[in-house]
Amino acid sequence: MATQQRIEIAGTDLVFRAVPFNDNMPSGAQLAHAAGFAPDDFVYVLHLRDDGQVEDVRSVESVSLDEGRRFVVAESDGSRRLAMNGQAIDWPSRFITAATLRKVTNVAAGKVIYLELKDEPDRLLAEDDIVDLDEPGIEKFREGKDDRPKEQNVQVKHLGELETAVFRTPETATLQQVWDRAYVELDVSRDERDIFQAEVRGQPVSLMDHLGLTLVEAQDRDLCRKKFEIAARTGGA
């Protein structure tokens, strides 16, 4: 008597459901049947192996559940070929998102996905970016290091207008850039008497001699944290 097995099956949405199974070496036809398709349905079966490889499973071809128990099974009038890190994959849908590609090919959470382009820099994809695989040629993707500058939430208070803005800015932005951006976020006009300062431990610290420093450099020197102020210059004309 065959040992009871369990496999996981999903469509192109990658919402997996557990399905009981009695064969450790199922064929593509058996997997399609387990997913609820009829023999005359045109179905693509993809095996998401534990080693990160993705393999197309033909109806008469058998695969070992020891190599992975997850399968994508979807009805389609044709597959679209793409490549991820040089590995060819036949995907049974016209569209694919970066998030789906990440799950299918086991891209680590700390990595980002690029769409490779010929005559321009590779395009960094957001997780919900949709790529049309019907475009001419084979869409090629690669994983890479996320080298985008980290961002911080900063707060800038205009002491004259009593207005406060909170916005995200790259850590690599200079203090001058943070100051300039603050006027846009506050919707306040710059006055030639304005000075830029930080609130550190409840005390104002002038940043006027340090505007060329990046945010993170200024923080490392303990010149600021994440709270800033725009104040009017006092003293002589």
Side-chain angles (χ1 to χ4, degrees):
M1 182 176 179
T3 304
Q4 182 72 35
Q5 306 280 345
R6 294 186 73 83
I7 60 176
E8 292 185 68
I9 292 179
T12 55
D13 57 2
L14 297 189
V15 177
F16 287 91
R17 56 188 174 90
V19 177
F21 210 76
N22 293 322
D23 192 336
N24 195 54
M25 292 287 293
S27 68
Q30 288 176 300
L31 292 164
H33 177 72
F37 291 100
D40 57 349
D41 290 333
F42 195 78
V43 176
Y44 274 90
V45 178
L46 296 177
H47 187 193
L48 309 187
R49 294 179 11 171
D50 292 341
D51 62 4
Q53 299 294 305
V54 181
E55 291 188 344
D56 178 36
V57 184
R58 294 173 297 165
S59 61
V60 296
E61 181 182 7
S62 295
V63 294
S64 173
L65 296 185
D66 293 336
E67 296 177 344
R69 295 172 179 269
R70 283 193 155 194
F71 298 88
V72 174
V73 185
E75 188 172 18
S76 175
D77 59 358
S79 66
R80 283 79 175 174
R81 175 153 291 193
L82 60 89
M84 180 64 177
N85 293 333
Q87 178 198 353
I89 301 171
D90 289 321
W91 184 246
S93 176
R94 175 178 173 178
F95 302 101
I96 193 168
T97 65
T100 297
L101 190 58
R102 177 184 300 281
K103 291 179 183 179
V104 169
T105 57
N106 286 333
V107 175
K111 298 286 188 176
V112 292
I113 296 175
Y114 291 88
L115 173 62
E116 296 184 8
L117 303 172
K118 287 185 178 180
D119 300 320
E120 53 186 299
D122 294 345
R123 174 185 162 199
L124 174 61
L125 298 177
E127 291 296 286
D128 59 353
D129 278 350
I130 299 173
V131 179
D132 187 348
L133 302 178
D134 269 357
E135 294 295 324
I138 298 175
E139 279 67 33
K140 297 179 180 179
F141 303 85
R142 64 175 176 85
E143 64 179 84
K145 181 181 178 181
D146 189 354
D147 54 5
R148 292 170 293 180
K150 294 180 180 179
E151 293 187 335
Q152 294 186 19
N153 282 322
V154 297
Q155 173 184 300
V156 182
K157 182 177 182 179
H158 195 292
L159 298 183
E161 299 291 339
L162 298 180
E163 296 286 346
T164 301
V166 177
F167 55 91
R168 291 186 66 78
T169 187
E171 291 183 339
T172 53
T174 64
L175 296 180
Q176 180 71 61
Q177 291 170 325
V178 175
W179 188 16
D180 293 341
R181 168 88 177 275
Y183 288 103
V184 177
E185 299 292 336
L186 289 163
D187 194 20
V188 171
S189 298
R190 184 191 297 267
D191 189 288
E192 62 180 9
R193 297 170 297 175
D194 287 347
I195 64 172
F196 196 47
Q197 62 189 35
E199 180 187 327
V200 180
R201 290 183 287 275
Q203 298 296 319
V205 176
S206 175
L207 301 173
M208 298 305 289
D209 293 332
H210 309 286
L211 296 176
L213 295 177
T214 66
L215 176 60
V216 71
E217 288 171 341
Q219 290 170 336
D220 287 344
R221 298 186 188 188
D222 205 25
L223 292 170
C224 64
R225 293 187 179 174
K226 297 182 180 182
K227 290 186 177 181
F228 300 88
E229 298 172 335
I230 298 174
R233 183 181 286 107
T234 60

